Amino acid sequence: MATHLQGSLFDQTDEVRLGPLHGMRRSELGDGAWIDLLPGWLSGADALFEQLAAEVPWQAERRRMYEQMVDVPRLLAFYQADDALPHPVLAEARETLSAHYATELGEPFTTAGLCYYRDGRDSVAWHGDRIGRGRREDTMVAILSVGAPRDLLLRPRRGGGTVRRPLGHGDLLVMGGSCQRTWEHAIPKSTRATEPRISIQFRPHGVH
């Protein structure tokens, strides 16, 4: 599947490469949860987006909701730990993040889930990655975003205000600590977003 992305005015290179991680900024959310944000970690994001859009075997899924089957409002792909990732820079990103967070996480990132948001009508509802170990243990989920900017929203499960973090072309966001257990996150529908976005989520084994 291929959907054209209008070239970014800020992404002036076709070479797909990662930058250093030393510019990462951490925000403490409360209840032991935190997020790290690094804008523009990936250069050459236009080229990566076009290749992923064209070559990943995207799947449209249906799920039961409110006693009926509904279309999942995005396309999906999933790569197990032993699967070859669809671009070498994604394997490099996974290895780099595993090394960077080795002390805090205590294990490597292994799987990669990809979501294709075709336009502003595609979204993901409020949730935490609490299937598996994320329900009872602190863990991390790292998200690399390419394509149209979209807002990531976070809110505490016990109630409280919403935190908004825009994710742009080539940005990295990592959710850590108790974030999956004590907070929820979402990508809401947007009337402003008309172009597509792809997110790549790296997770440790047993976190979904």
Side-chain angles (χ1 to χ4, degrees):
M1 174 181 180
T3 299
H4 180 67
L5 176 73
Q6 181 177 337
S8 170
L9 295 176
F10 304 101
D11 193 4
Q12 299 295 324
T13 178
D14 289 331
E15 181 184 357
V16 182
R17 66 180 187 274
L18 302 173
L21 288 172
H22 57 66
M24 192 94 72
R25 300 284 297 273
R26 178 163 296 188
S27 298
E28 300 289 345
L29 299 176
D31 295 328
W34 52 261
I35 54 173
D36 283 349
L37 180 62
L38 180 59
W41 184 41
L42 176 79
S43 300
D46 287 354
L48 178 61
F49 177 92
E50 295 292 350
Q51 182 169 338
L52 296 180
E55 298 181 9
V56 168
W58 299 105
Q59 300 292 320
E61 295 188 358
R62 291 175 61 81
R63 294 177 182 172
R64 181 169 295 279
M65 183 177 294
Y66 307 120
E67 299 183 354
Q68 61 180 339
M69 297 299 292
V70 299
D71 292 332
V72 173
R74 59 196 176 279
L75 302 180
L76 304 169
F78 185 76
Y79 293 83
Q80 298 281 3
D82 295 332
D83 294 337
L85 295 179
H87 193 285
V89 79
L90 300 185
E92 180 186 353
R94 185 171 60 185
E95 293 172 4
T96 300
L97 291 166
S98 293
H100 181 79
Y101 288 105
T103 300
E104 283 186 285
L105 183 57
E107 60 181 319
F109 293 95
T110 57
T111 63
L114 279 67
C115 293
Y116 193 117
Y117 299 83
R118 292 158 289 189
D119 54 33
R121 293 170 294 182
D122 279 356
S123 62
V124 61
W126 288 107
H127 72 288
D129 292 6
R130 290 190 290 272
I131 299 175
R133 294 191 294 122
R135 177 181 294 275
R136 61 186 184 276
E137 300 175 10
D138 285 2
T139 190
M140 295 185 195
V141 177
I143 301 172
L144 178 60
S145 184
V146 293
R150 294 290 294 268
D151 288 340
L152 175 76
L153 306 185
L154 301 107
R155 68 182 184 187
R157 293 189 68 200
R158 57 179 169 75
T162 297
V163 175
R164 183 183 301 268
R165 288 292 183 271
L167 292 181
H169 203 31
D171 291 357
L172 171 70
L173 183 137
V174 180
M175 297 179 284
S178 68
C179 197
Q180 302 306 321
R181 291 185 291 109
T182 60
W183 285 64
E184 297 177 319
H185 56 278
I187 300 288
K189 297 182 186 299
S190 172
T191 57
R192 302 189 310 273
T194 59
E195 293 194 321
R197 168 187 181 255
I198 294 172
S199 73
I200 304 99
Q201 312 104 43
F202 299 107
R203 297 178 176 88
H205 175 73
V207 177
H208 305 283

